[in-house]
Structure formats: structure tokens, C-alpha cells
Amino acid sequence: MRNTWTHPVFRPLLFLALLVLTMHALKSQWHRLGSPKGKAPYNPDQGDEKRLVVGHFMLGNTYPFTADDWQATFDLAEDTLLDAIVLNIGPEHWQLTQAQLAYELASSRRIKLLLSLDVNVLPHSPDELSSRVVTTINAGRASQLLWDDKPVLSTFSGHEFGDDNWVETLRLISRGLEQQVMFWPAFFIPPSDFMAKLYVDGTFAWNSGWAMDSTSMNLKEDQPFLKGDKPYMAAISPLFFTHYGTEGDWAWNKNWIYPSDNLLLPNRFLNFISPHAHTPTPQIIQLISLNDYGESHYLFPVRGAQPGSSAWTEGMDHEGFRIMCKYFIGRWKNGMSEIEELEDGHEGKVVIWYRTKPKDGVYDDAVGRPDRAEWAEDLINLFILLPSHSAHYTLHLTNGPADHTRSLKSGRLNLLTLPFIPGNVHYSITKKEGSAERVILEGDGKEITEGGAWNFNMWSGSVY
């Protein structure tokens, strides 16, 4: 029989069909390996893309976790308006077991999960890394966070693993899951090198959550990624202090701070909450962290096991940080107004946080003074949310022998700092209408003391 497609009339049609198929295949490959250079910056407002907020969670602190512990953790995450929990997984088999349990239990929850491979401690083996990922996700596929219908996979570090090893690891994971993943790592390399890696689908700048020097917080770490051609995940954290020495069971030789005293958490959020529509913003914010007690930036109450950190976490409540995160997530992700969360008739909300040890006090412990301690500022931080009203509001704060008074603005968020000294802390908000003045909110802070061990962790409290 004569082949009709060989006729000269149909040859152009055959060529066109082959060209279309080839371009479609190339487009799919580009989408998998990374965006071609020259593409416009990623715009989260295009199409139906949503802003997401996730929280970093250390599986290494979950050795004694039960199903009830996981459910309580999911409850807190959902109440904080998180979209997903990032499970940082290390090499121990029990961490894999806990990860699988979490995926099983979260299958019926709103909260989603994703893995972060802690490549600093995991075996540098594509087979072992891929096995952990596939085994965990398959324990509860419905729990997995997706981006563009692909499972999101992150890391802590890992650039030293090598490009060929990552390509092979991702190939094995895709084969095991029978679908491609969205690879969104935290590599500690120059932004241009990071974004140029074809197998990287999204970028995450872990250190963007803190100032790396004594300057105030800004978008310096974020800017290259915000202007880049791949979706970006930014870090937000309430503080950073770790205090491990060189001897004993926890001889990790980690003893330093990052500047955290001057309204770090709210200012970092406000960097991305802008009235200007053209202002770049990340596609995902990762809160660091939900339960890393060793680095003092835990947002959730202490639960599970502590890695030798109880000396600086005991009695240091961080619920105030979680409350602020919930407020700012509502504004950044859901577009809530500055005071929208205050219900009708609500008098207001106060969050207070500070270190409980002056930076230049006399202390004595075997680990010694933390590196960069000179960057700290002895400040009491306040987040005060007040409804719109014609009344006059005033903050009254007593710290030891010092009395502070500040006028506050209604119908907005007030952020302010006051210097602290050793002594008790008491605060109140008064509302004055005409000649009548009354206290509407008040509370006691944690006493600021000297002596004992070094501690640059913070206490937080709230009243509303």
C-alpha cells in the first residue's frame, strides 16, 4: 500500500507535527531541570499561586514522641496558620520511624508535611537518601506538601554532595514515587551559583532569618533570590542563641548569638508586608523553628527530648513569638488588615519579650561567653495592638527602679523597645476617655537577673 505521508504535499505537515512534539518535550525538561536564563522574575501573584508558610521541625528531638505528641504538634501548627511542617531528618533509624508515623497521622489533617534532608549528618549516598525520602512519603502520600502537583523536598546544606549525586538522588526518588519532586534545598553557596543549578527547582536562604553582623535586619540576603527566576523560600526566626562547649555529652562547640534583640521577628515579617504591589516577596516563608531548643528559636512549647539545652530553655516561654507569627501570617498570606484580628469589643493585645540576663553581667559557666555577645542590646520588646478609638492609650512599664511611659496609637500595631536593667518587670496599658482612665491590659514579666550561667535566650509573654 502506498504511504500517504511520504507524498510531498504532506511532508510539511509531518515536519510541523514533529517540531511541536519536540518543543513540548524540551519545555517539560526545562521545567524539571530549572528555568532558562533570561526568564522574568517569578511572580507569585500570577495565576493561582498561593503564598505558603511552613515551620522547621527537628525530628532529632522526637525520640519519645507518641501519636498524642504528634497530634498536639499538628494542632499547634494549624492554630498558627501554618501550611506545612518541615521535618528535618537525620541518620538514626528512629527518626525515620517517627517521620513515617507523622506522615501516617497527618493524612487526615489540614496540615501538610515535607522532608528536609540534614545533609550535614546523613550519609552521602544517593541510595540511602532516596530510600529515606521514598519510604517516608509513601507512609502517607496524602500528607505530602505539593507544589505544582509535585512533592516538595528540601535540605539543610548539601551543596558539597555534588551535582551528579543530587541528579542521581532525585532520579531515584522520582522513580520510587513514580513522579518528579520539587527540589527546594538550602545550599550555602553564592546565590548566582545556587540559582544556576539546573536540578534545583526552588531556592531557600536559611541564613536570611538573622543579621549576620551587627547591622539591623534587612533584605540583603534575600535580594538576589527575590530577583531570580526560581521560586524563593525566605527564613524568619525569633532569635538565635546556642551554648554548647567542647566537653561532655554535648561537645558540639557551638557557642554564639545572632543579633535578635531589636524587634527582629516583627521587623523581618514587615519586610515582606508592603503596600506596594510591585515589591518582591517570597513564595514560601519558613519559620525557624518550631522545636529547635539547642538554638533557642523554638516557637512551640518544649515537647519530646532536649539536646542538652535545658540550661537555657527552662522557664523561657516562647508562646508570645507564636502569637506574633500567627498575626503576621494572617497579614502576609491572607491579606488581613493591621487590626482585623481584634474582634468587636476586644480591648487589645500585648506581646512582650526580652533576654533575662544583661549582656555585660558577671557570669560563670564552663562554656564561656558566647561569640558576638557584644552585638546584643539590653532591650525589652513590645508588640501592642489596639483597636480604633478616640480614647488616649498609654503604656506604663516598671523595670526594677525604672519607670517608663509611652503614648500609643490606636487603630494600629505599636512596636517599641525600652532599655532594661536587673529587676522585676510589670506592664499595663491604660485607656483614657475624657477624665476617666482605666487599665485595660496588664501583666508581669520574668525577672531580669545577673549571675549564674550565660543565657541569651529570651522569655516572652502575652495578654489579651
Side-chain angles (χ1 to χ4, degrees):
M1 178 181 287
R2 183 178 179 183
N3 189 343
T4 306
W5 288 104
T6 61
H7 193 280
V9 173
F10 294 103
R11 285 174 184 168
L13 295 176
L14 177 61
F15 175 78
L16 180 61
L18 290 173
L19 179 62
V20 169
L21 289 172
T22 301
M23 292 302 295
H24 179 75
L26 286 173
K27 181 180 178 181
S28 298
Q29 183 70 356
W30 287 339
H31 183 71
R32 170 68 192 93
L33 295 178
S35 305
K37 291 184 178 180
K39 181 181 175 182
Y42 189 91
N43 184 353
D45 296 321
Q46 290 177 347
D48 296 324
E49 297 292 355
K50 296 181 180 180
R51 298 176 178 183
L52 302 180
V53 182
V54 301
H56 202 80
F57 189 88
M58 304 296 292
L59 282 169
N61 294 337
T62 65
Y63 181 79
F65 258 42
T66 65
D68 288 343
D69 290 313
W70 279 115
Q71 296 292 4
T73 299
F74 298 155
D75 288 343
L76 273 175
E78 291 178 353
D79 182 73
T80 313
L81 306 182
L82 298 185
D83 296 288
I85 296 174
V86 185
L87 300 179
N88 174 292
I89 188 167
E92 292 83 7
H93 182 74
W94 62 262
Q95 289 198 41
L96 177 61
T97 301
Q98 286 288 4
Q100 290 174 283
L101 177 60
Y103 266 76
E104 292 171 10
L105 294 172
S107 294
S108 59
R109 304 290 302 244
R110 179 189 65 78
I111 194 73
K112 299 300 180 185
L113 305 175
L114 67 143
L115 288 176
S116 174
L117 300 172
D118 197 332
V119 188
N120 279 347
V121 294
L122 284 168
H124 283 196
S125 161
D127 288 334
E128 293 199 37
L129 292 181
S130 60
S131 175
R132 275 179 171 79
V133 174
V134 172
T135 301
T136 301
I137 294 177
N138 280 337
R141 295 293 286 262
S143 303
Q144 175 63 43
L145 179 70
L146 303 178
W147 186 277
D148 289 342
D149 295 323
K150 295 183 290 186
V152 180
L153 174 65
S154 190
T155 74
F156 178 78
S157 192
H159 58 277
E160 70 285 350
F161 188 39
D163 295 338
D164 291 342
N165 281 329
W166 276 122
V167 169
E168 175 63 8
T169 300
L170 295 171
R171 185 190 69 82
L172 292 173
I173 293 171
S174 296
R175 186 179 70 180
L177 296 177
E178 297 183 341
Q179 67 178 132
Q180 293 177 339
V181 297
M182 180 79 178
F183 189 45
W184 210 317
F187 286 171
F188 297 94
I189 55 178
S192 58
D193 296 340
F194 192 177
M195 291 184 285
K197 293 186 179 298
L198 296 180
Y199 57 86
V200 168
D201 301 309
T203 55
F204 174 29
W206 177 276
N207 283 335
S208 64
W210 311 272
M212 295 290 106
D213 53 32
S214 59
T215 60
S216 59
M217 195 68 207
N218 54 50
L219 294 177
K220 180 180 178 181
E221 292 281 336
D222 308 276
Q223 287 294 355
F225 300 106
L226 290 171
K227 296 176 181 178
D229 58 6
K230 295 181 179 181
Y232 172 55
M233 177 156 46
I236 292 183
S237 184
L239 70 136
F240 190 105
F241 165 63
T242 185
H243 195 53
Y244 292 104
T246 58
E247 300 177 353
D249 294 335
W250 309 99
W252 291 342
N253 194 23
K254 292 174 56 177
N255 184 31
W256 71 85
I257 73 163
Y258 291 137
S260 308
D261 298 291
N262 198 347
L263 301 169
L264 172 64
L265 181 68
N267 283 340
R268 178 67 174 155
F269 263 111
L270 289 171
N271 280 334
F272 301 122
I273 299 174
S274 170
H276 306 294
H278 65 274
T279 301
T281 192
Q283 284 65 61
I284 300 181
I285 284 175
Q286 183 165 161
L287 302 180
I288 304 175
S289 66
L290 305 184
N291 74 330
D292 192 334
Y293 315 119
E295 295 182 353
S296 305
H297 41 57
Y298 51 96
L299 295 173
F300 289 0
V302 173
R303 180 185 294 272
Q306 287 207 58
S309 52
S310 58
W312 59 89
T313 62
E314 186 174 353
M316 305 299 268
D317 194 326
H318 283 190
E319 175 67 4
F321 291 128
R322 190 186 75 85
I323 290 171
M324 285 192 291
C325 285
K326 181 176 180 179
Y327 166 81
F328 284 113
I329 290 169
R331 289 183 60 182
W332 179 75
K333 189 177 73 170
N334 301 330
M336 294 176 64
S337 69
E338 197 165 350
I339 61 168
E340 187 174 340
E341 78 163 35
L342 290 180
E343 300 174 0
D344 291 341
H346 203 294
E347 295 277 25
K349 177 177 290 188
V350 178
V351 178
I352 181 171
W353 69 103
Y354 52 88
R355 289 181 293 104
T356 60
K357 301 276 188 179
K359 70 172 184 177
D360 293 324
V362 178
Y363 307 103
D364 182 24
D365 66 35
V367 179
R369 188 173 189 257
D371 291 342
R372 309 186 185 102
E374 67 277 7
W375 292 354
E377 299 176 82
D378 291 348
L379 295 173
I380 293 174
N381 297 254
L382 291 130
F383 164 113
I384 303 172
L385 196 62
L386 296 170
S388 295
H389 203 282
S390 59
H392 180 72
Y393 293 91
T394 304
L395 165 69
H396 304 271
L397 188 142
T398 302
N399 168 212
D403 290 317
H404 302 277
T405 302
R406 296 289 187 275
S407 181
L408 302 171
K409 294 183 178 180
S410 64
R412 61 165 295 177
L413 171 64
N414 295 262
L415 295 171
L416 60 155
T417 61
L418 297 168
F420 74 63
I421 57 177
N424 292 320
V425 176
H426 179 82
Y427 59 94
S428 64
I429 308 294
T430 59
K431 178 180 180 180
K432 186 175 182 180
E433 298 178 86
S435 59
E437 185 173 17
R438 63 186 179 91
V439 174
I440 59 169
L441 297 165
E442 67 177 328
D444 291 311
K446 188 175 178 67
E447 183 182 6
I448 298 169
T449 63
E450 291 187 277
W454 291 95
N455 192 350
F456 282 71
N457 191 6
M458 293 185 177
W459 172 88
S460 74
S462 61
V463 58
Y464 50 93

